[in-house]
Amino acid sequence: MLVVACIKQVPDTTQVQIDPVTNTLIRDGIPFIVNPYDSHALEESLRLKDSNGFTAVALSMGPPNAEATLRKALALGVDRSILLSDRVFGGADTLSTSNVLAAAIQRLAEQDEIGIVFCGKQTIDGDTAQVGPGIAVRLGFTQLTLVDRIEKLDLAKKTVTVRRKLEGRYEIVEARLPAMITVVRELNRPRYPTVPMRLASAKAQVEVWNNEVLKLDVNSVGLKGSPTWVSRIFSPQRTEGEILGDGMRDPVGAALLLVDRLLEEDLLAV
Amino acid sequence: MSEPVKPKRPRGRARVVAGKCAACGARCQSACPVDCIEMTDAGEPLVTADKCIGCLKCVKVCPAGALEMFFTPEEEKILAQLAGTALPEVDEEELERRRRIDPYRGVWVFVEQNDGEPARVSWELMGSGRQLADSLDVELFAVIIGSNVGHLAQEAFCYGADCAYVLDQPVFARYRTEPYLEAMCYLVDKYKPEVVLMGATGMGRDLAGAVATRVKTGLTADCTGLGIDDKRNLMQTRPAFGGNIMATIMCDKFRPQMATVRPHVMPLPERNPAATGLVLPEGFDISEAAIFSRVLEVITDKSGKDRVDVAGAEFIVSGGRGLMAKENFAILEELAGELGAVVGGSRSAVDAGWLPPDRQVGQTGKTVRPKIYIACGISGAIQHLVGMQDSDVIIAINRDPEAPIFEVATFGIVGDLFDVVPALTMRIRELKQARA
């Protein structure tokens, strides 16, 4: 049985900065990382490999340089790493991204039965949380989002029981396999690659599937298959605030000024 | 006696405007019908001008305005000669687009509920939905799915809905993706709304992503601004790249246009208890046997009563790395006590174990919109700012005058929080005692 982890290579958005003159992103030297939530998805697929003998497959759609991310997955212990890369996949929104990923999973399903597809709950660059549900709906898999614990996996009955983390509550849900599960960080603690695995992964093969392999209608992938598009990007507008007093030399005076201002503007009820 | 041959209107060629490319992911390359754009390693386009046919597709698709058309001096001359003559304006694509989207009318807000208890974000969205419906001159619909949820229709009218579709059946008692997905798709298919809004909550995101995929339309997550353009299209503005830039997203060729909005991003509209509306009961046949998931148990967060709700608080005193240690949060607690505020924190404070994760404000934590947000010792990483920048008043207290938090602050004090915060607490305490 297969367990698939969908992972994405993303720019480390915590290190992105804006050029104050041109108002564009300064991209030079920004490192690419595995989307942090996806590393938990990857870890969970490796745990199923260890505990239940599943074959673990890492899957990523991206430009050719995303191979680095898939190589890391091999170093961590996945059995296969597959990069879905083609010019026609470029410029995709979440709808056309899930189309490509689902088609790849469908193709894997022709070779072996799929048990679970794991995705991170969202990416840190897009923040949409839409690709996981997109894959589930396209494949007809049970959809379980925001999972922070796998309670039980019953392969005889083909069910999985998970705990979902929602606002102010948890839900214990039992569902039929195959399932698409999106994971939160509390689910597990990702492992580190061992030195021998890392060395072995340098020589291992990352498979690359382009659209000649997936044979999707070019109008359903990439930019052409994306109903949404970005019409404008701009820097967030901010109004200049007011610095009160000299807080370094006279902190008490500055505090008094602040309270006075809040009272003046009727913001404080005392 | 033939007329003089009119010079052909030159179409020009595309070129890159230096310094503007945002490396959006090769949209221009994908849009080019003649493959004349190659991408550099930095993700910027290189246009092979000889091959360009001047179709304008790349220029239109570029979100950063980094591509433009240019003309040779000879072409400029011809253009000058032709100036004043009408442009040929038969756009088949545009006619086809209109034919496809025209049947879709009305703005919908999905009313999220758990055990019949509505999520506040649904009413916040009702406020946004009302504005959109007014701009479009259509009705605002509440979509209520659940079991024993009839009472929510009246509540939806109080917050601005004109009509409410109500699907009230035992099978919808607990949210599960399959039955809700089927029910939503059934309604969308039958009544064809042009806009569908949902809360960007655990439930809303689970459902919205599924529905958009099934009906094959666009979905924009976590919008912070919604508006209507001159062609009845929804303009959806949201933070991108971890909040470093804002992007306006369009879905002009497909309907419905779907968007989610995080709780507390939109203001709660005033509740009008006298409002009335039209209840539209709906039935949808889905049997329990066709559903492959079951909610076995719902666990409400332990100590329900002393759970602190940062997202819903009116006053927040927040601490970051500058607090230096867990014990030091006591001085924030004291100020919070005087103000009736809740203590929150930045990701660094939570990662350091100084605060529980549910107190985290920011992109990976809660979005807040209090009346007053006091940021103490928080430098103001963009991920934090996107979670609190819509607060009515922001007060920043930080030793570093260059800290980005001052860029969003209404009032700032450059100073040591260990001096300033106790002074603030003391002053407010004095004032209260004087009034008592």
Side-chain angles (χ1 to χ4, degrees), chain B residues 94-426:
Chain B
E94 172 62 14
L95 291 174
E96 164 59 23
R97 183 188 80 89
R98 282 184 211 160
R99 265 195 296 277
R100 189 165 47 212
I101 68 171
D102 230 29
Y104 290 82
R105 281 286 184 275
V107 175
W108 289 12
V109 172
F110 172 74
V111 177
E112 173 174 340
Q113 54 81 30
N114 183 39
D115 266 340
E117 190 63 41
R120 187 185 129 118
V121 65
S122 306
W123 308 141
E124 292 165 4
L125 286 179
M126 212 56 88
S128 312
R130 183 72 262 163
Q131 289 173 4
L132 298 175
D134 290 345
S135 316
L136 288 163
D137 198 17
V138 294
E139 287 177 310
L140 176 64
F141 295 79
V143 179
I144 299 164
I145 302 174
S147 179
N148 298 319
V149 289
H151 62 286
L152 295 177
Q154 178 51 42
E155 207 50 26
F157 301 147
C158 295
Y159 284 105
D162 299 304
C163 312
Y165 293 118
V166 181
L167 263 86
D168 199 329
Q169 286 161 235
V171 72
F172 300 122
R174 286 255 160 247
Y175 173 80
R176 288 169 295 172
T177 315
E178 302 136 293
Y180 275 64
L181 165 65
E182 298 300 335
M184 272 307 281
C185 291
Y186 161 78
L187 290 175
V188 167
D189 204 41
K190 188 168 170 188
Y191 296 109
K192 301 192 169 19
E194 56 197 305
V195 173
V196 178
L197 305 179
M198 297 192 193
T201 57
M203 185 197 292
R205 287 178 145 205
D206 188 278
L207 180 60
V211 172
T213 307
R214 177 70 66 77
V215 304
K216 298 227 170 342
T217 192
L219 167 61
T220 305
D222 292 359
C223 296
T224 55
L226 295 169
I228 302 292
D229 76 0
D230 54 3
K231 287 183 173 166
R232 296 182 73 86
N233 294 313
L234 185 64
M235 297 186 291
Q236 309 161 104
T237 298
R238 70 181 303 258
F241 284 103
N244 291 283
I245 51 170
M246 304 299 290
T248 302
I249 315 279
M250 306 297 291
C251 173
D252 55 345
K253 296 190 181 67
F254 295 85
R255 293 292 185 269
Q257 304 160 96
M258 295 183 61
T260 65
V261 178
R262 289 175 80 163
H264 302 287
V265 167
M266 300 295 177
L268 188 69
E270 204 169 313
R271 185 177 181 279
N272 172 12
T276 56
L278 184 63
V279 180
L280 302 161
E282 271 292 327
F284 177 66
D285 196 23
I286 182 164
S287 88
E288 192 57 50
I291 302 167
F292 297 108
S293 58
R294 280 189 306 146
V295 179
L296 303 180
E297 195 187 348
V298 177
I299 307 154
T300 318
D301 263 357
K302 332 133 215 178
S303 52
K305 47 183 180 306
D306 32 84
R307 200 169 64 84
V308 173
D309 178 19
V310 179
E314 290 207 332
F315 298 91
I316 298 173
V317 180
S318 225
R321 210 190 302 258
L323 265 290
M324 325 267 271
K326 189 171 184 172
E327 307 80 72
N328 294 335
F329 272 81
I331 68 164
L332 300 195
E333 290 286 357
E334 271 198 57
L335 175 59
E338 292 301 326
L339 290 169
V342 162
V343 173
S346 68
R347 178 162 173 188
S348 338
V350 170
D351 283 355
W354 302 341
L355 282 174
D358 60 357
R359 304 282 189 99
Q360 186 185 325
V361 172
Q363 185 156 42
T364 45
K366 304 261 167 55
T367 299
V368 300
R369 196 192 180 103
K371 289 192 174 140
I372 300 185
Y373 186 90
I374 307 182
C376 309
I378 293 176
S379 62
I382 190 78
Q383 287 75 14
H384 186 73
L385 301 187
V386 294
M388 45 64 80
Q389 62 194 3
D390 288 327
S391 307
D392 292 350
V393 172
I394 295 168
I395 296 165
I397 301 166
N398 203 301
R399 288 167 59 101
D400 175 9
E402 302 296 320
I405 191 75
F406 288 115
E407 289 169 26
V408 299
T410 327
F411 302 116
I413 295 180
V414 180
D416 191 327
L417 73 98
F418 295 103
D419 297 327
V420 178
V421 174
L424 269 175
T425 311
M426 193 75 85

Side-chain angles (χ1 to χ4, degrees), chain A residues 127 145 167 170 172 174 234, chain B residues 202 206 246 294 296 299 363 412:
Chain A
D127 276 310
T145 54
E167 294 83 5
Y170 293 95
I172 311 290
E174 183 193 60
F234 55 99
Chain B
D206 188 278
M246 304 299 290
R294 280 189 306 146
L296 303 180
I299 307 154
Q363 185 156 42

